[in-house]
Amino acid sequence: MSSVSTSGVQIRSRRRALRETVELLSSMRFAISLLTVIAIASVIGTVLKQNEPYPNYVNQFGPFWAEVFRSLTLPTVYSAWWFLLILAFLVVSTSLCIVRNAPKMLADMRTWRENVREGSLRAFHHKDEFDTPADTATVTARLAALAQNRGFRIKAFSRDGGATLITAKAGAGNKIGYILAHSAIVIICIGGLLDGDMMIRAQMWFGGKSPIKGNAVISEIGPEHRLSVSNPGFRGNAFVPEGSTVSTAILNIADGALIQDLPFMITLKKFTVEHYSTGMPKLFASDIVVTDRRTGKQVDARVEVNKPFVYDGVAIYQSSFEDGGSKLKLTGFPMAGGDAKTFTLSGVVGQDTKLTGHGADYTVEFTDFRLMNIETVTDASGKPDARGVGKKGGNKGDDASGLRAELGNVTKMTHDRDLRNVGPSVQYKLRDANGQAREFSNYMLPVTLDGQSVFLAGMRTQPDEPFRYLRIPADAQGTVNDWMRLRAALQNPTMRAEAARRFALLSMPGEDRAALRNQLTDSARRALDLFAGAAADLKDASAEAQGGFTAIATFLQKSVPEGEREKAADVLMKIINSAMWELWQLARAQDGLPAPTVDATSSQWLQTAINSLSDRVFYGAPVYLQLADFQQVQASVFQLTRAPGKNIVYLGALLLVLGVFSMFYVRERRWWLWVKPQSGQTNERTSGAHVLTAMSTMRRTLDFDREFERLKQDVRAVTGAPAIPGSASAADTDPKPMK
């Protein structure tokens, strides 16, 4: 009886290394090891998004892990050289397993195993032996009919002494399943190799192709970096703004990219985003025109997520969408000095704009524009907060200095999810002459947080950090003008002094209190100077300590005993709040505006403005750029795929299903029936026959045991022998009719 061997093929060769290599490659243990590695790699490729831009991995995992993933080629695991090499070894190993076992299996399927002896049948576990009054010829005919009726193929052989051996077999599909399953693995791996980068790498190794590194104009890229239209297999991306046409795809490979020429051109007519009632997107779709480059034929098509359009063997998938170069108009507000004069700035997403005249020369790099932003407007503790300075306790990073510690994060998903559309936003980098850059994200419209309408101005220093947002209160006209006036006035020493004088005069009127009023004036001016970061003893302090509540805290720690700090802080805050009210009136009067109304709304605005002015020192930008107008241009990112191995993989999957089904649900059985005259009889036509039946299988199960018990009863029933006492009848156990 044949069985599948787990050892490898043993060849005759004088070279020991060759013999051991072939035996290793053809062993089942080696194939299982390769399958295990492929399974682990496939899990990684499923969990980790593949073929994303490197900055995306930096943003999600941080620079360290992003670099580790890139060094291990995990972002492109399915096209990594080691993954393709494992697939190739698996093809070789599985093929050798098939070559080793398939001929033996096919030969075993054709054999009847008629050389079995009577004595060996008695050694079987599943056997039965009895005498029957019917003659041997009749018994042989009935048993042959019974075996055929039960689905067995039979063949009879004559033996010495008038005996007859009936050999029966069923379930040959079990061995066919083994061959199909292993062949399916080979076919699927070949399809995977064809759909991977194998063909492209072959062109790089033998065809003189090399990836291009850095940026370049596609039309100017030479043929050594381009793949022909006839390239049998590829997977690339194409960035297409609305109204634009592309005829190439970008294939990211190694540390660069190859240009794949397409047999057609793609023109994006319109990109559509449909949203749910909550504002979350539910559909991305692109209306395109495909133009055949050879015939000029044009075909209109619509590409949606998971609904590709196939043309000339190339599938066009909706991968993602980006800004396609929206035109922006912004209003600039100085964030330093006593000048509040605004300026205008224009830009295009994806391009740079020079910014001069604000202490140094800067370059504004516009990176993104979003028409809609669905955000959770909460602070870091999960509660609505106009300042967003709430922090979770217990973590080391909660006490970190800088913007992370002082400002909130509107985009961070927290426990209390309050999703809403907060309107358009612009994202840009402000780069100085030394190449250092900070990234900003500013919202166009105010957002109501905790009853206060505020503008959100985000900043981060590293791509892997979340944005932290400065909350600038909106005035009665829904602008930032009042806050900007107040900020400029706070940086003007003359206006600070005048605000301190007016505060003292209102607090202590009368000529008899002039001395105390002068002392209060000095205290108020001192407090405003500290808050503005203009105090003389803070000139040598770090930037984080120059102004705001941080400067106040630093002053109290240096100048006030610990037991009196709380009382002193309360007095200082009252002075600052009152003096800032006077400063606000002065700033508005300077621009010819009426004084603010004394009510709860103005008080709330002023308190939010004071908090925002304190946080301003962490914003780290000389200007605040507010989006004033825009002309949106959207772009689709298509994934273009030519997969010659797709149908091969489908065939392999079908064969694998059939093979696994046959291996697990089809049981191979062998059945022998030995019929001879009873002892003392020499003529098969004389009365009385002796029957010996035995059965075997590759996998012994309870179903097999029950099947043999039924067959035992059926054999006794058709031969006229008495039934086994205590056993169920054939009619009770098997409803199939007998011939």
Side-chain angles (χ1 to χ4, degrees):
M1 192 178 301
S2 68
S3 62
V4 178
S5 175
T6 61
S7 61
V9 175
Q10 297 180 357
I11 62 174
R12 296 181 179 180
S13 176
R14 295 181 178 180
R15 299 180 179 179
R16 180 180 177 183
L18 179 61
R19 295 198 308 269
E20 293 179 349
T21 301
V22 173
E23 184 176 0
L24 174 64
L25 292 177
S26 60
S27 65
M28 185 178 294
R29 292 184 293 272
F30 183 71
I32 293 175
S33 301
L34 293 177
L35 282 172
T36 302
V37 176
I38 290 176
I40 296 173
S42 299
V43 171
I44 296 174
T46 302
V47 175
L48 185 67
K49 289 185 177 181
Q50 298 291 290
N51 299 307
E52 292 283 312
Y54 180 71
N56 291 7
Y57 298 106
V58 175
N59 295 340
Q60 186 174 0
F61 303 103
F64 174 77
W65 288 110
E67 186 61 29
V68 171
F69 293 162
R70 184 165 68 170
S71 61
L72 298 175
T73 64
L74 297 185
T76 56
V77 63
Y78 298 119
S79 58
W81 66 268
W82 56 267
F83 187 83
L84 298 177
L85 185 62
I86 292 175
L87 284 181
F89 272 114
L90 184 60
V91 169
V92 174
S93 178
T94 309
S95 299
L96 291 176
C97 289
I98 297 173
V99 171
R100 184 182 72 249
N101 292 304
K104 294 186 293 182
M105 289 183 174
L106 295 175
D108 185 69
M109 290 171 54
R110 292 191 296 267
T111 61
W112 292 94
R113 300 183 186 176
E114 70 276 8
N115 296 324
V116 66
R117 299 179 180 179
E118 183 180 4
S120 62
L121 294 178
R122 291 192 176 95
F124 278 55
H125 182 272
H126 295 83
K127 66 180 183 298
D128 189 28
E129 189 172 5
F130 58 88
D131 291 329
T132 177
D135 59 81
T136 57
T138 302
V139 171
T140 301
R142 291 179 178 179
L143 292 178
L146 173 66
Q148 290 178 325
N149 189 44
R150 292 295 181 266
F152 288 85
R153 297 169 57 201
I154 67 169
K155 192 172 183 179
F157 300 90
S158 298
R159 292 294 183 260
D160 296 338
T164 301
L165 174 64
I166 301 176
T167 63
K169 57 184 179 181
N174 179 270
K175 287 187 170 60
I176 296 293
Y178 172 89
I179 298 174
L180 290 179
H182 286 71
S183 300
I185 294 176
V186 175
I187 293 173
I188 291 174
C189 290
I190 292 175
L193 289 172
L194 291 176
D195 285 350
D197 291 343
M198 184 182 68
M199 305 299 295
I200 297 175
R201 293 183 181 275
Q203 296 182 61
M204 294 172 58
W205 295 334
F206 309 109
K209 304 295 184 181
S210 61
I212 187 173
K213 300 180 181 180
N215 298 322
V217 180
I218 293 180
S219 59
E220 299 177 356
I221 296 176
E224 68 275 10
H225 307 304
R226 309 178 76 100
L227 301 176
S228 68
V229 175
S230 59
N231 184 26
F234 60 85
R235 186 183 304 271
N237 296 312
F239 176 83
V240 191
E242 286 181 329
S244 299
T245 301
V246 298
S247 59
T248 58
I250 309 297
L251 279 60
N252 295 319
I253 190 168
D255 294 330
L258 290 170
I259 307 300
Q260 173 64 59
D261 291 320
L262 302 174
F264 50 78
M265 297 182 294
I266 303 174
T267 302
L268 179 61
K269 295 194 299 182
K270 182 177 179 60
F271 177 78
T272 304
V273 182
E274 296 182 4
H275 300 84
Y276 292 103
S277 59
T278 60
M280 296 295 289
K282 67 175 181 179
L283 174 65
F284 307 140
S286 298
D287 295 319
I288 63 174
V289 178
V290 178
T291 305
D292 193 297
R293 299 176 65 178
R294 182 172 53 86
T295 63
K297 179 183 177 181
Q298 292 186 341
V299 179
D300 293 330
R302 184 177 178 89
V303 181
E304 301 179 7
V305 177
N306 298 324
K307 294 182 180 179
F309 175 70
V310 182
Y311 187 86
D312 198 12
V314 180
I316 306 173
Y317 293 88
Q318 181 71 56
S319 177
S320 61
F321 67 95
E322 298 179 7
D323 190 275
S326 297
K327 299 177 180 178
L328 310 174
K329 292 183 178 180
L330 303 100
T331 301
F333 297 86
M335 292 289 283
D339 186 11
K341 185 178 180 180
T342 62
F343 61 93
T344 59
L345 187 70
S346 299
V348 177
V349 176
Q351 300 181 13
D352 302 340
T353 300
K354 296 295 183 180
L355 180 64
T356 59
H358 297 278
D361 294 336
Y362 294 89
T363 301
V364 184
E365 303 172 0
F366 295 100
T367 57
D368 194 16
F369 167 78
R370 296 182 180 180
L371 181 63
M372 298 182 65
N373 290 271
I374 311 301
E375 308 286 10
T376 300
V377 283
T378 58
D379 67 3
S381 61
K383 300 179 180 180
D385 183 8
R387 292 183 64 210
V389 295
K391 301 188 292 289
K392 298 179 181 179
N395 297 325
K396 182 178 180 181
D398 295 337
D399 298 327
S401 62
L403 196 70
R404 180 183 294 274
E406 299 297 330
L407 304 184
N409 181 11
V410 71
T411 60
K412 185 176 181 178
M413 293 299 182
T414 55
H415 300 289
D416 183 15
R417 299 185 62 177
D418 183 18
L419 297 176
R420 68 183 75 172
N421 179 22
V422 296
S425 68
V426 60
Q427 191 167 317
Y428 60 91
K429 292 181 179 179
L430 198 61
R431 192 176 302 276
D432 59 22
N434 297 323
Q436 301 296 317
R438 292 192 177 192
E439 192 170 10
F440 300 87
S441 178
N442 297 341
Y443 288 81
M444 181 179 182
L445 303 176
V447 179
T448 301
L449 297 176
D450 199 21
Q452 178 66 53
S453 182
V454 296
F455 287 89
L456 303 173
M459 189 280 287
R460 65 183 180 187
T461 58
Q462 299 294 331
D464 58 326
E465 293 180 350
F467 281 105
R468 297 286 173 173
Y469 286 82
L470 177 68
R471 278 72 185 265
I472 302 176
D475 53 28
Q477 290 72 40
T479 68
V480 299
N481 294 337
D482 255 10
W483 188 87
M484 292 297 174
R485 292 189 190 96
L486 184 59
R487 184 212 60 77
L490 183 63
Q491 298 299 315
N492 189 319
T494 302
M495 297 189 71
R496 290 198 305 269
E498 178 62 18
R501 187 193 68 79
R502 294 179 60 171
F503 160 70
L505 183 61
L506 291 174
S507 300
M508 294 183 177
E511 294 295 332
D512 57 334
R513 309 175 69 180
L516 292 175
R517 187 165 58 248
N518 290 334
Q519 293 179 2
L520 183 58
T521 301
D522 292 339
S523 298
R525 185 175 65 252
R526 171 66 171 170
L528 289 177
D529 290 346
L530 284 170
F531 192 77
D537 56 350
L538 289 179
K539 292 300 184 181
D540 297 331
S542 61
E544 290 80 3
Q546 294 197 23
F549 296 132
T550 306
I552 300 295
T554 302
F555 169 76
L556 293 174
Q557 291 177 354
K558 292 182 178 180
S559 305
V560 181
E562 184 176 357
E564 301 178 6
R565 289 176 186 172
E566 183 176 356
K567 182 179 180 180
D570 185 58
V571 172
L572 275 177
M573 290 305 303
K574 290 180 179 179
I575 293 175
I576 290 174
N577 289 337
S578 299
M580 290 294 289
W581 177 270
E582 300 299 326
L583 190 64
W584 185 19
Q585 294 186 72
L586 288 172
R588 289 181 61 87
Q590 189 179 42
D591 290 345
L593 300 174
T597 305
V598 181
D599 54 17
T601 302
S602 297
S603 297
Q604 184 181 20
W605 184 95
L606 181 61
Q607 187 59 58
T608 305
I610 293 173
N611 294 335
S612 182
L613 288 170
S614 175
D615 293 338
R616 174 194 58 82
V617 299
F618 303 103
Y619 188 61
V623 296
Y624 165 71
L625 299 180
Q626 185 182 38
L627 184 63
D629 196 8
F630 59 87
Q631 181 180 347
Q632 187 185 24
V633 179
Q634 300 187 101
S636 281
V637 179
F638 297 115
Q639 185 182 84
L640 297 107
T641 303
R642 176 180 283 167
K646 180 177 64 176
N647 294 330
I648 298 176
V649 172
Y650 289 159
L651 174 62
L654 177 61
L655 294 180
L656 184 61
V657 171
L658 295 176
V660 172
F661 181 85
S662 301
M663 292 173 63
F664 285 94
Y665 295 99
V666 178
R667 293 178 290 109
E668 183 186 21
R669 291 101 68 204
R670 295 279 185 168
W671 191 17
W672 293 268
L673 297 130
W674 190 289
V675 184
K676 68 177 183 179
Q678 293 184 13
S679 181
Q681 305 287 338
T682 59
N683 191 343
E684 65 179 7
R685 296 192 177 275
T686 58
S687 299
H690 183 82
V691 179
L692 173 62
T693 178
M695 198 172 186
S696 69
T697 184
M698 292 290 295
R699 298 194 313 271
R700 181 180 172 183
T701 62
L702 292 177
D703 290 337
F704 176 73
D705 293 339
R706 287 192 290 266
E707 180 184 16
F708 184 70
E709 291 298 323
R710 291 194 297 267
L711 289 176
K712 284 171 52 177
Q713 298 302 323
D714 292 345
V715 169
R716 288 177 176 263
V718 300
T719 58
I724 301 175
S727 300
S729 64
D732 297 332
T733 58
D734 196 342
K736 294 182 179 179
M738 293 183 295
K739 295 181 179 178

